[in-house]
Structure formats: C-alpha cells, structure tokens
C-alpha cells in the first residue's frame, strides 16, 4: 500500500484553503473562484502577530511606557514544489498566475479541530531552489481589516 512520507504530513493540520476575494465599491467582500485546496505538500504555515507600539510617557520619567496603537497579523505558507502541470503547485498557480500581487484572499486552515479564518492581501511570493534541498515556494499574506476579528478561530 502506498503511503505519504511522514515529513509530508503536517502537525494536526487537516485542511488548508485559499479563496480569492473581490471588494465592491461599497467595501463589501465576496468570494470568487477558484478555491485553492492545498495538498499535504506544504512545509510550514506560520501565523505571526505583531503589535505596533508608541512610547508615551512624561518628559520627566526615565522608564519607557510602550502603548500598543495597532496590531498586525500575517500568514506565511511554504510549499514543497514538484514537477507537473501548473496546478500541481497550488501556491504558484493561485497566487502568481491567476491573481498576482495585491490581491485579496480568505485563508483557512484547520488544526487540532480549530479553524483559523484569515483575511489578507498577497504581499510577497518567492521561489527558492537551494542545491540538494527541495524547491520551495513561499507566500506571505498581510492582514486587511474585514470589519470583524482577523484572524478568527472557531
């Protein structure tokens, strides 16, 4: 019986999808097709939050008082590329050929029974080949404000 190598099976992540979005003139977000379902070839999914801080304190105080003024989140996905038709590499097919930089996406992944829903815009796409290692593609989605919690977990 054929088996998927253990290094191709993610840590409890069962579903990974990306859906392109359109933004109407009034700001309404709607999904479009195609929905991209990632296979088990991704190497890394990273959800990273960063707070933008502003130091606000009285002029006679020597200690910093960092106040959060905004929070930003980004999602990074690394995919192990393989030869074949363009759709055999979903990140490449979806994020570069079909829509390009600056497009809006709804990104979902399910891990340990919890689903993360994330609205973002494509900010970076790269491909890298490093000698003997796997050829990798990498996409970074930066946060947009959909008017609700982002990311949201259910």
């Amino acid at each position: 019986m054929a088996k998927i190598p253990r290094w191709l099976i993610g840590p409890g992540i069962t579903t990974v999808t990306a859906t392109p979005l359109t933004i109407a003139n009034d700001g309404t977000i709607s999904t479009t097709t195609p929905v991209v379902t990632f296979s088990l070839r991704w190497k890394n999914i990273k959800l990273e939050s960063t707070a933008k801080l502003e130091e606000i304190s009285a002029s006679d105080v020597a200690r910093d008082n960092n106040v959060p003024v905004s929070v930003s989140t980004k999602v990074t996905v690394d995919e192990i590329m393989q030869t074949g038709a363009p759709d055999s590499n979903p990140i490449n097919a979806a994020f570069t050929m079909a829509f390009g930089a600056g497009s809006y996406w709804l990104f979902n992944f399910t891990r340990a029974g919890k689903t993360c829903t994330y609205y973002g815009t494509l900010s970076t796409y790269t491909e890298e080949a490093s000698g003997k290692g796997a050829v990798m593609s990498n996409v970074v989605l930066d946060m947009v404000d959909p008017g609700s919690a982002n990311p949201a977990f259910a």
Side-chain angles (χ1 to χ4, degrees):
M1 171 183 267
K3 291 186 177 182
I4 295 175
R6 290 295 307 163
W7 57 271
L8 282 178
I9 299 175
I13 297 180
T14 57
T15 306
V16 181
T17 61
T19 306
L21 301 172
T22 58
I23 313 298
N25 289 338
D26 66 358
T28 304
I29 300 172
S30 57
T31 60
T32 61
T33 55
V35 174
V36 179
T37 301
F38 293 85
S39 67
L40 296 175
R41 289 191 318 274
W42 51 266
K43 180 180 178 184
N44 181 45
I45 297 176
K46 180 172 146 184
L47 182 65
E48 178 182 4
S49 291
T50 306
K52 183 186 283 184
L53 305 174
E54 183 175 344
E55 200 283 315
I56 302 173
S57 60
S59 60
D60 61 345
V61 175
R63 294 175 306 279
D64 282 351
N65 181 42
N66 288 299
V67 177
V69 293
S70 67
V71 176
S72 181
T73 304
K74 71 169 85 172
V75 170
T76 303
V77 180
D78 296 317
E79 178 189 34
I80 301 167
M81 296 184 76
Q82 62 181 349
T83 59
D87 62 351
S88 65
N89 297 299
I91 287 179
N92 177 277
F95 293 115
T96 62
M97 295 178 191
F99 299 95
S103 54
Y104 293 94
W105 290 86
L106 172 60
F107 185 81
N108 294 296
F109 65 92
T110 302
R111 176 181 61 209
K114 298 274 189 188
T115 299
C116 173
T117 300
Y118 179 80
Y119 291 87
T121 186
L122 176 62
S123 64
T124 307
Y125 174 81
T126 57
E127 292 182 11
E128 178 181 354
S130 55
K132 291 184 179 182
V135 176
M136 302 297 299
S137 63
N138 169 279
V139 67
V140 177
L141 296 170
D142 280 312
M143 183 173 145
V144 297
D145 182 4
S148 58
N150 189 31
F153 298 91

